[in-house]
C-alpha cells in the first residue's frame, strides 16, 4: 500500500507469532486438564515431562508472548490480545462447571453481563456451548484479526469486519472439530476420537442429537457436564 508503514509486514508477522505462542500455551494446559495422551500424533507434553513441567512451559510461553506483545508499542493491540488470555480461562471454567453454580470462582469470573444472563443461558445448552467455544477458540482468532487491522491503522469498519471474520472462522472451526471427534480418523486428527464424550462434555453433535430424541436426552443427561 502506498502509505503503509515500512515495518508493518514484520510487525504483523510478529503478532502472528504471539498468537501462536498463546495458542500453544493453551494446548499445553488443556492436555493436562483433559488428561489427553496425544497431540498431533505425538505424545502430549505432560506425558513426557510431567504435569508440572507442562504447566510451567505453558506459563513461560504466555510470559514470552506478553513481552513480545509489549514490544509492539501499541496500547490498543496489547489490550485486545490480552483479552484472549482472560477468555481462555473463562472458557475452561465454563467447560468444567455450570456458569451459575453459586461458587466463588463463578462469581469472580462472571460478574459482568455474562453472569447476568446465566440463568437464561442455562436453559439454552447450545447458546452456552457456543459462548464457551467463543471464549476457548474464537476469541483467539477474532482478537488476532482485529489486532492485525489495528496495526495497519485501518478504518473502524475494517477493524470491526476483521473481528467478525475471525470470530466466525473460530466458531466454525470448533464446530467442525467437534463433529470430527465423532466421525473423523484418529490418525489424521492426531488425537483420540470421542475424547469429549468420554470426558462427559456436551458438544454440538450430542446437543443436536439429544434435541431430536427425548430418550437419548434422558440417557445422556446424567453423563454430560
Amino acid at each position: 500500500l502506498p502509505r503503509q508503514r515500512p515495518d508493518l509486514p514484520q510487525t504483523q508477522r510478529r503478532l502472528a507469532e504471539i498468537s501462536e505462542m498463546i495458542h500453544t500455551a493453551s494446548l499445553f494446559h488443556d492436555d493436562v486438564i483433559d488428561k489427553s495422551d496425544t497431540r498431533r500424533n505425538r505424545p502430549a507434553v505432560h506425558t513426557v515431562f510431567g504435569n508440572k513441567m507442562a504447566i510451567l512451559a505453558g506459563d513461560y510461553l504466555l510470559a514470552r508472548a506478553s513481552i513480545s506483545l509489549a514490544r509492539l508499542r501499541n496500547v490498543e493491540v496489547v489490550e485486545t490480545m490480552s483479552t484472549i488470555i482472560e477468555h481462555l480461562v473463562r472458557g475452561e471454567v465454563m467447560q468444567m462447571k455450570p456458569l451459575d453454580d453459586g461458587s466463588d470462582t463463578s462469581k469472580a469470573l462472571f460478574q459482568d453481563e455474562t453472569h447476568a444472563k446465566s440463568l437464561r443461558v442455562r436453559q439454552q445448552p447450545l447458546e452456552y456451548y457456543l459462548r464457551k467455544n467463543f471464549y476457548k477458540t474464537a476469541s483467539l482468532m477474532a482478537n488476532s484479526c482485529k489486532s492485525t487491522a489495528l496495526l495497519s491503522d485501518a478504518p473502524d469498519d475494517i477493524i470491526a469486519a476483521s473481528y467478525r471474520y475471525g470470530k466466525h472462522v473460530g466458531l466454525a472451526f470448533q464446530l467442525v472439530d467437534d463433529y470430527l471427534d465423532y466421525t473423523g480418523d484418529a490418525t489424521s486428527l492426531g488425537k483420540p476420537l470421542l475424547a469429549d464424550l468420554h470426558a462427559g462434555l456436551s458438544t454440538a453433535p450430542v446437543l443436536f442429537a439429544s434435541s431430536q430424541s427425548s430418550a437419548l436426552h434422558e440417557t445422556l443427561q446424567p453423563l454430560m457436564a
Side-chain angles (χ1 to χ4, degrees):
L1 297 176
R3 287 191 263 176
Q4 175 178 299
R5 48 188 263 208
D7 66 333
L8 181 60
Q10 180 180 354
T11 303
Q12 289 178 328
R13 192 179 306 115
R14 190 57 176 162
L15 179 67
E17 294 169 356
I18 292 168
S19 297
E20 187 55 32
M21 282 192 283
I22 294 173
H23 178 223
T24 302
S26 73
L27 296 182
F28 285 3
H29 291 165
D30 278 355
D31 286 344
V32 173
I33 294 171
D34 299 337
K35 300 179 181 179
S36 298
D37 293 332
T38 59
R39 172 69 65 176
R40 296 171 185 168
N41 283 324
R42 294 181 178 275
V45 172
H46 71 94
T47 66
V48 179
F49 300 103
N51 289 347
K52 291 182 179 179
M53 189 62 70
I55 294 296
L56 287 173
D59 291 347
Y60 177 78
L61 281 174
L62 290 176
R64 293 303 307 175
S66 298
I67 293 172
S68 297
L69 187 57
R71 287 175 177 165
L72 295 180
R73 301 291 192 269
N74 187 307
V75 174
E76 193 168 2
V77 169
V78 170
E79 181 178 354
T80 300
M81 293 297 292
S82 298
T83 302
I84 296 170
I85 300 175
E86 177 197 355
H87 285 175
L88 286 169
V89 177
R90 286 186 177 220
E92 196 61 50
V93 172
M94 288 181 74
Q95 181 167 287
M96 294 172 64
K97 60 173 60 180
L99 181 59
D100 188 30
D101 65 351
S103 69
D104 291 339
T105 302
S106 292
K107 290 177 181 177
L109 288 173
F110 303 106
Q111 57 187 348
D112 58 4
E113 77 285 350
T114 303
H115 181 74
K117 295 180 180 177
S118 60
L119 291 177
R120 188 169 54 197
V121 171
R122 288 183 66 191
Q123 302 303 317
Q124 301 176 11
L126 184 60
E127 182 183 342
Y128 185 86
Y129 159 78
L130 291 173
R131 184 182 292 273
K132 182 263 296 181
N133 284 357
F134 169 75
Y135 285 141
K136 289 200 66 177
T137 304
S139 176
L140 173 68
M141 299 185 184
N143 286 299
S144 295
C145 289
K146 176 182 176 180
S147 295
T148 302
L150 286 169
L151 285 174
S152 66
D153 295 321
D156 290 344
D157 60 329
I158 298 299
I159 294 172
S162 299
Y163 178 87
R164 291 195 302 271
Y165 170 79
K167 174 184 176 181
H168 294 308
V169 168
L171 290 173
F173 171 86
Q174 192 59 55
L175 285 167
V176 172
D177 187 66
D178 290 342
Y179 167 75
L180 292 176
D181 189 47
Y182 287 83
T183 64
D185 176 75
T187 302
S188 61
L189 290 176
K191 58 183 180 180
L193 295 179
L194 303 178
D196 292 328
L197 183 65
H198 292 153
L201 300 176
S202 298
T203 57
V206 168
L207 292 173
F208 282 120
S210 61
S211 69
Q212 299 297 315
S213 170
S214 57
L216 181 62
H217 176 75
E218 294 298 327
T219 301
L220 293 175
Q221 191 171 23
L223 305 175
M224 295 298 167

